[in-house]
Amino acid sequence: MDTTTLERDLRAYRPDGAPSLPEHFVWPRYEGLSVGNLAATVGQALGVTLPGVLPPLRGDLLDGLLDGVQRVVLVVIDALGWGQLQDVMSRRPDLVFHRLAAQGRLWPITTTFLSTTNSVLSTLHTGRPPLEHGLLAYSMFLREWQMAVESISFSTILRPFTGTLAEWGFEAEKFLPVPALGQLLAAQDVASYALTLDGFVKTPLSLMHNRGMQDVFGYATASDFWLMLRRILEQRPGRSFVSAYWNAVDTLAHRLGPLDESGDAEIVSLALLMEEIFLNRLAPAARAGTLLLLTADHGQITTPPGSAILLDRHPALLDALFVPPLGESRVPFFYIRDGRYEMVRQYLDEHFSHQFVFLSQDEVLRSGLLGPGIPYAEVPHRLGDIVGIAIGDAYFARAEELLKKQPMLGRHGGLTSQEMLVPLLAVRLDA
C-alpha cells in the first residue's frame, strides 16, 4: 500500500446500500481509516482495551510503530487538509514533515461526518461516532432546552459565544451521553493530559472532551504551544496520553480561504517551531517509548460570496420552517413545520438540486454517514427533517452575513475531498 493507492481508494469507496451521492464525495471510513479510529488506537498502543469505541486504525497503517509504547501524543491541527499539506510539502522539501514521514508513516485518512470541529473532536475524545455522541454540528436545535444553540460555547444562536446556557444551569460535563477518552484511560490507570489555547480551557466543549484528564494546560502562542507540549512530556513520566490542539490554520482559512498564502505560511511556521522548540530539544527520557500522532479534524474548501444561497430571498422556504436552517452552512438541517414537509422537499429540489444533495432524516440515519451503532435518543431531534450536503462550493447564508467586513472565504462540514481527507503522521520519537 502507498499513499497514492490509499487516497484513490478513499475517494472511490462506497459501502453496500449507500445512498446515491456525487462521485467526488468522500465517504467517512469508520471501520479503520478515519480519525474516529484514533481513540482505540491510543488504547491499543498503550496496551489497554477501551469498551464501546470504534475499532482501531487498520493494522498496516501503523505496522511496527506500536511495540513498547509508553506514551501517545496526539496533535490535532484544525483544518489541515491532506491536499493542503501535500502542496506545502511539495514546495518545501526541507520541511520537517518529510523527515518524520520517512522515520514513520504519513497517510491520508478521512474525518467523520459532519466534517466540523466540535463533532469531530467529540469523536476523537470519546471514540464514538456522531450517531452515538450526538454532537452533530456547529448549531443544532436542542429539544431538551427548546432552543437553537451554537454548540461550542453553548449559547443561543442569537447571542453566540456568550455562555448563555451555562448561566441557566447547563452542565457541560453531562451533555455527551458517552464517556470521554480520559475517563476510559483513567479507569485503566493511564494518565491523560490536554493542551489547548488559553481561551478554550474552560469552554463547555473543552469541559466535555477533557473529562477524566489529570491536567488541562493552556498556551498563548505557537512557540508556547510546542514548549508546553515538550514540558508536559518531560515533567510527567509514566504511561500516559497527551492531547494537543492548534487552531490557527482553521482561523486563517475561514477568513482568507484555504488557498491563501497565509495558510501555507502558518503550516511552515508550525513545522519550524515544532522542529526547533519541540523535537530538537526534547530530552531522551521523554522520547523513550513515545508515539507521536499528528492529524486534523477536517480540511476546508474555498467558498466565495458569490456561491452563497441567500435565505432572505426565499421567504416561502423560511416560512415553512420553525427555525432557520441549522447544522452547518454547507450541511444545513431543515426543521419543518407540521404539514409542510412535501412543500419544503419540493422547494429544495426545484431551487437548489444543482448545488446540494438533499436526504431525509431517515436516509441519513440509515446511510452510515454518522457512523455505526444505535443512535443516541436526541440525534433525530437535532438532525432535522431534511439534511442538505453541498455538491461544490455552495452554502446557505443570511444576507447580513455577506455584508460583514470580513466574510468567511473558507468553510467545511461537507463531503468533498478538500473537507474530508486529512493527514495522519505517525512517528516514534525514540527512533
Side-chain angles (χ1 to χ4, degrees), residues 302-366:
T302 303
T303 53
S307 296
I309 296 171
L310 298 180
L311 287 160
D312 309 65
R313 298 179 180 176
H314 299 274
L317 173 62
L318 288 175
D319 183 62
L321 307 176
F322 70 82
V323 291
L326 301 176
E328 299 288 332
S329 62
R330 291 182 45 75
V331 186
F333 299 169
F334 297 92
Y335 303 80
I336 303 172
R337 294 180 186 275
D338 287 345
R340 308 296 293 277
Y341 183 91
E342 292 302 327
M343 172 265 166
V344 170
R345 186 61 192 250
Q346 182 177 353
Y347 192 98
L348 294 173
D349 288 340
E350 287 181 357
H351 289 80
F352 312 122
S353 60
H354 61 297
Q355 295 163 296
F356 278 80
V357 172
F358 295 102
L359 301 176
S360 69
Q361 177 191 112
D362 186 58
E363 286 175 315
V364 174
L365 293 174
R366 289 189 291 105

Side-chain angles (χ1 to χ4, degrees), residues 123-140:
T123 292
L124 274 169
H125 285 282
T126 65
R128 303 295 189 98
L131 189 73
E132 293 184 347
H133 66 62
L135 214 173
L136 305 177
Y138 167 72
S139 61
M140 301 181 295

Side-chain angles (χ1 to χ4, degrees), residues 178-179 238 247 326:
V178 294
N247 70 306
L326 301 176

